[in-house]
């Protein structure tokens, strides 16, 4: 399989090269040259297959022959060593729980898959790759955990000092080994700007192979299509018209769902559920795409003002606005509405959602008003305890900490404080 850059000014390249680079030399996002539908029999008998068989069949064409089948099977199996349960709240709404991985964020799957691919590609050479990532919270922990101990890969995480939750900070500062946390005196945008500057700094990139581990990287983005297959497997015997409501920030997750649909998965419709960062909601209303500075909300993993994967969605629909609008609805909700939803979900279904899942729930409810016969699955993208202060404050009960969280809470934080790009650069040039 070859990948091309969506800026169309860089040569096509291999899966390996696209994963190692992250971004194409022309700064475009990589996109697969073909998406070939899976045979009807795959979906017809999906309930008889294990999750790792399903995932292997689905991802195989995107890797091509660059990783031998047996190795790819192992990578997929190791990546998916936990459950993806669909919890039916009633006959109209289900929650797809994507938080059963080691850091309790849905980003675990993409991070683990990407780490194992890089490990495979590094097996026979002495090349070192440095994964540089800025985080507002969840990405850092998932990437740190996914890449821990992976040969030939160093991970450097930049996070804004005092602006991630206590649990999130522990998840990215306590692992050691090949993981380093840089604690930035600033906000998330400062971290992101420093990372961007590093990628275009030729003095740095001539001396080291830097790559990204956010959803611009195809190995982090594509495995997210598994979630939609796993839900279908669980729901196909019960519901005919399955719709997904995806709490969206950079739109990587929902775009992967659309790839699953191109593979032939019978999904009726997608809902992009947004907080007040509503560029896409506005786009579908006005046909005009207007990126904005992000605003802070209680569903902060979705505080994105210019979703990086939206260009991939456009590519999937050949920039045909009407075709996209047929398949995608988007709604946006305030923090007040999100808080009310958390309460409603708890009261009505005795279920505890996190603020991101609650935004997905609101999108599902809104869609169902006009489409009462459909079944909407909202993606529960993080465990409620990762947003403990909001959830406990709104629902007014104490939420029990899961084992994964208990395991890090008492560990000692180790971080290196930095406050400027030049300090980042000095660190990178001297790290070894
Ligand atoms: C990253 C994240 C999202 C947004 O996912 P995108 O792929 O960026 O749209 C939603 N919820 C949580 C908890 C996240 O960590």
């Amino acid at each position: 399989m070859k990948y091309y850059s969506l800026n169309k000014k860089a040569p096509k390249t291999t899966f390996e090269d696209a994963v190692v680079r992250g971004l194409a030399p022309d700064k475009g996002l990589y996109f697969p040259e073909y998406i070939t539908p899976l045979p009807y029999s795959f979906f017809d008998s999906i309930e008889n297959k294990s999750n790792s068989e399903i995932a292997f069949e689905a991802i195989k064409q995107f890797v091509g022959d660059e990783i031998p089948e047996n190795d790819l099977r192992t990578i997929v199996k190791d990546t998916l060593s936990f459950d993806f349960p669909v919890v039916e709240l009633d006959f109209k709404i289900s929650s797809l729980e994507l938080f059963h991985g080691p850091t309790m964020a849905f980003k675990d799957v993409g991070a683990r898959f990407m780490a194992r691919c890089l490990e495979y590609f590094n097996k026979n050479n002495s090349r070192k790759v440095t994964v540089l990532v800025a985080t507002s919270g969840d990405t850092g922990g998932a990437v740190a955990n996914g890449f821990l101990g992976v040969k030939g890969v160093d991970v450097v995480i930049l996070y804004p000092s005092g602006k991630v939750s206590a649990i999130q900070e522990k998840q990215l500062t306590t692992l050691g080994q090949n993981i380093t946390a840089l604690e930035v005196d600033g906000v998330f945008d400062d971290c992101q700007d420093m990372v961007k500057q590093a990628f275009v700094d030729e003095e740095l990139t001539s001396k080291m192979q830097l790559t990204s581990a956010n959803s611009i990287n195809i190995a982090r983005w594509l495995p997210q299509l598994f979630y939609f297959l796993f839900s279908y497997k669980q729901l196909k015997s019960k519901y005919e018209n399955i719709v997904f409501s995806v709490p969206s920030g950079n739109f990587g997750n929902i775009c992967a769902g659309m790839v699953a649909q191109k593979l032939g998965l019978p999904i009726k419709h997608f809902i992009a559920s947004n907080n007040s960062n509503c560029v896409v909601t506005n786009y579908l209303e006005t046909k005009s795409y207007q990126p904005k500075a992000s605003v802070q909300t209680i569903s902060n993993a979705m505080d994105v003002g210019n979703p990086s994967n939206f260009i991939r969605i456009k590519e999937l629909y050949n920039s045909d606005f009407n075709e996209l609008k047929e398949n995608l609805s988007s709604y946006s909700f305030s923090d007040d509405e999100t808080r009310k939803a958390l309460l409603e979900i708890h009261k009505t279904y005795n279920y505890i959602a996190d603020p991101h899942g609650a935004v997905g729930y609101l999108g599902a409810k809104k869609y169902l008003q006009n489409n009462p016969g459909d079944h909407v699955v909202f993606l529960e993208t993080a465990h409620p305890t990762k947003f403990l202060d909001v959830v406990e404050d709104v629902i007014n009960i104490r939420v029990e900490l899961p084992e994964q969280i208990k395991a890090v809470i008492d560990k000692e934080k180790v971080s290196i404080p930095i406050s400027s790009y030049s300090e980042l650069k000095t660190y990178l040039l001297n790290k070894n």
Side-chain angles (χ1 to χ4, degrees):
M1 172 67 80
K2 287 277 194 293
Y3 288 82
Y4 61 94
S5 163
L6 291 178
N7 280 355
K8 316 259 162 82
K9 292 195 183 74
K12 286 180 190 164
T13 193
T14 58
F15 175 74
E16 173 175 353
D17 191 51
V19 175
V20 170
R21 286 179 184 277
L23 213 55
D26 63 359
K27 313 287 169 234
L29 270 66
Y30 280 116
F31 199 80
E33 205 171 9
Y34 307 103
I35 299 174
T36 310
L38 296 165
Y40 174 74
S41 58
F42 172 84
F43 300 103
D44 199 38
S45 61
I46 197 166
E47 65 274 26
N48 304 324
K49 298 182 174 70
S50 68
N51 281 352
S52 56
E53 279 172 317
I54 293 169
F56 169 76
E57 291 295 331
I59 203 74
K60 201 169 57 173
Q61 64 172 292
F62 297 105
V63 178
D65 55 11
E66 295 176 51
I67 301 178
E69 290 207 349
N70 275 340
D71 294 290
L72 185 59
R73 275 184 204 281
T74 308
I75 289 173
V76 165
K77 199 160 184 238
D78 290 350
T79 299
L80 300 173
S81 58
F82 41 89
D83 293 333
F84 302 86
V86 174
V87 178
E88 289 179 64
L89 300 185
D90 63 22
F91 67 99
K92 289 185 175 189
I93 298 192
S94 292
S95 163
L96 167 62
E97 296 187 344
L98 298 178
F99 55 69
H100 294 272
T103 75
M104 318 214 81
F106 84 92
K107 294 179 172 77
D108 279 328
V109 166
R112 288 160 72 81
F113 183 78
M114 179 182 163
R116 283 161 180 76
C117 289
L118 272 186
E119 184 171 46
Y120 175 83
F121 293 133
N122 280 344
K123 204 170 53 170
N124 298 319
N125 60 35
S126 54
R127 172 184 60 194
K128 193 150 211 167
V129 178
T130 300
V131 170
L132 192 58
V133 62
T135 185
S136 58
D138 266 4
T139 303
V143 168
N145 193 287
F147 283 80
L148 182 67
V150 170
K151 180 179 161 261
V153 182
D154 279 342
V155 176
V156 179
I157 301 167
L158 282 77
Y159 75 98
S161 182
K163 307 226 164 37
V164 303
S165 78
I167 288 169
Q168 287 172 330
E169 183 171 45
K170 287 286 172 131
Q171 285 182 319
L172 49 98
T173 58
T174 59
L175 292 172
Q177 295 186 49
N178 57 331
I179 315 292
T180 305
L182 301 182
E183 184 172 352
V184 176
D185 179 18
V187 296
F188 170 67
D189 289 332
D190 299 316
C191 302
Q192 180 110 40
D193 288 345
M194 286 188 203
V195 168
K196 282 189 183 153
Q197 203 174 339
F199 282 116
V200 295
D201 185 329
E202 278 170 21
E203 196 190 337
L204 260 185
T205 54
S206 64
K207 295 201 174 87
M208 59 200 320
Q209 179 66 59
L210 289 179
T211 193
S212 69
N214 55 37
S215 56
I216 63 171
N217 195 302
I218 53 165
R220 245 220 53 201
W221 165 56
L222 283 170
Q224 304 177 123
L225 67 86
F226 302 159
Y227 309 140
F228 301 84
L229 298 167
F230 299 163
S231 333
Y232 178 69
K233 169 182 161 182
Q234 293 171 72
L235 293 174
K236 69 175 270 205
S237 66
K238 292 194 186 149
Y239 304 108
E240 206 162 315
N241 294 325
I242 298 175
V243 173
F244 286 97
S245 172
V246 186
S248 294
N250 266 320
F251 281 68
N253 206 2
I254 194 167
C255 184
M258 291 170 169
V259 173
Q261 192 185 34
K262 289 263 175 207
L263 290 175
L265 184 69
I267 299 173
K268 187 183 170 200
H269 197 75
F270 286 96
I271 303 158
S273 296
N274 290 147
N275 57 30
S276 317
N277 295 279
C278 53
V279 191
V280 174
T281 307
N282 290 346
Y283 172 70
L284 290 181
E285 263 166 35
T286 63
K287 220 173 162 174
S288 151
Y289 187 81
Q290 298 292 343
K292 287 195 195 123
S294 63
V295 296
Q296 210 176 339
T297 73
I298 56 168
S299 49
N300 60 21
M302 312 199 296
D303 295 352
V304 179
N306 187 10
S308 50
N309 284 287
F310 198 66
I311 184 160
R312 283 185 168 135
I313 293 183
K314 280 192 159 169
E315 187 74 0
L316 275 171
Y317 292 88
N318 298 312
S319 298
D320 185 330
F321 179 81
N322 293 328
E323 201 189 315
L324 173 62
K325 209 172 157 159
E326 277 285 290
N327 197 33
L328 176 70
S329 301
S330 178
Y331 311 113
S332 144
F333 302 97
S334 68
D335 278 356
D336 270 351
E337 290 172 301
T338 307
R339 285 196 184 89
K340 281 194 189 118
L342 282 171
L343 210 52
E344 179 180 310
I345 298 167
H346 188 239
K347 270 205 181 134
T348 315
Y349 305 108
N350 196 24
Y351 186 79
I352 301 174
D354 97 293
H356 303 78
V359 171
Y361 167 85
L362 284 167
K365 285 288 246 201
K366 188 136 186 178
Y367 172 87
L368 283 165
Q369 286 174 1
N370 295 323
N371 301 273
D374 293 351
H375 188 82
V376 187
V377 181
F378 70 89
L379 275 54
E380 196 16 310
T381 46
H383 191 278
T385 54
K386 296 198 78 177
F387 300 90
L388 202 60
D389 42 350
V390 178
V391 174
E392 289 193 334
D393 180 49
V394 172
I395 303 183
N396 209 2
I397 56 164
R398 291 208 65 75
V399 185
E400 163 114 46
L401 291 185
E403 289 306 317
Q404 290 100 312
I405 304 287
K406 280 190 201 150
V408 295
I409 211 87
D410 294 326
K411 287 201 190 154
E412 197 191 336
K413 157 184 159 183
V414 180
S415 68
I416 301 173
I418 64 164
S419 55
S420 66
Y421 176 70
S422 69
E423 285 178 83
L424 169 64
K425 184 166 173 175
T426 308
Y427 169 76
L428 290 172
L429 286 172
N430 294 310
K431 80 181 167 62
N432 50 37

